[in-house]
Amino acid sequence: MGEPKEPVDYDPRMDAAAAPDLNPPKKGWGCLGYCLGGCGAIIGLSLIIGFATTSNSKPYDSNNQYEAIAQCEDLVTARLKSPTSAEFDSSASSNGDRQWTVTGTVDADNSFGAKIRNTYQCSVRMIGDGKVERRLDRLG
């Protein structure tokens, strides 16, 4: 067998270059593995989301009460002194042939900052291809 080796004393002043490597680098895919894994995850998520949205998607139909209300509220907002303070309570009824009557109330600040309630009514006609005819019948 051989003679026993002398114990080696640890010197904390020893610099890192001279110190033995206690954690050798692991061999493997490294950065390439992370990149391929990340790309695979993104592609997989895209496919899942793509299938979920295409199976339930329907073409947008602008002839609905929500679009009529939005068009009317936009028209009323343009007439207010403080448009950012507007709070609406609206309802719409269909008159047939893509025509809607929207009525409701709007609470908004006046020139002096006091909250004032007004009633309104407007007529909305959906022409198609994103075109709309709208008329404010009453505000006050």
Side-chain angles (χ1 to χ4, degrees):
M1 296 227 180
E3 294 182 26
K5 295 185 178 180
E6 291 182 24
V8 177
D9 292 331
Y10 173 73
D11 184 2
R13 293 173 291 163
M14 184 170 43
D15 68 306
D21 190 6
L22 301 176
N23 294 319
K26 297 178 182 177
K27 295 181 180 180
W29 287 84
C31 181
L32 181 62
Y34 287 114
C35 291
L36 290 175
C39 289
I42 290 172
I43 291 171
L45 265 171
S46 300
L47 289 173
I48 290 170
I49 291 171
F51 285 129
T53 54
T54 55
S55 63
N56 295 329
S57 64
K58 296 178 184 175
Y60 177 71
D61 180 17
S62 64
N63 186 27
N64 63 55
Q65 66 180 356
Y66 305 108
E67 183 65 27
I69 290 172
Q71 290 293 330
C72 189
E73 289 179 358
D74 185 46
L75 194 59
V76 171
T77 301
R79 306 275 176 110
L80 299 174
K81 296 284 184 186
S82 178
T84 57
S85 68
E87 296 175 12
F88 287 93
D89 183 20
S90 306
S91 63
S93 59
S94 175
N95 301 337
D97 196 30
R98 304 178 70 85
Q99 295 184 14
W100 296 84
T101 299
V102 180
T103 57
T105 60
V106 58
D107 297 334
D109 293 345
N110 65 6
S111 301
F112 302 105
K115 188 74 82 172
I116 302 294
R117 175 169 285 179
N118 287 298
T119 59
Y120 63 89
Q121 178 178 327
C122 67
S123 302
V124 179
R125 184 171 152 246
M126 307 295 180
I127 298 171
D129 294 329
K131 296 178 183 169
V132 176
E133 287 180 354
R134 56 190 186 171
R135 180 182 71 239
L136 184 59
D137 300 323
R138 179 176 38 102
L139 176 61

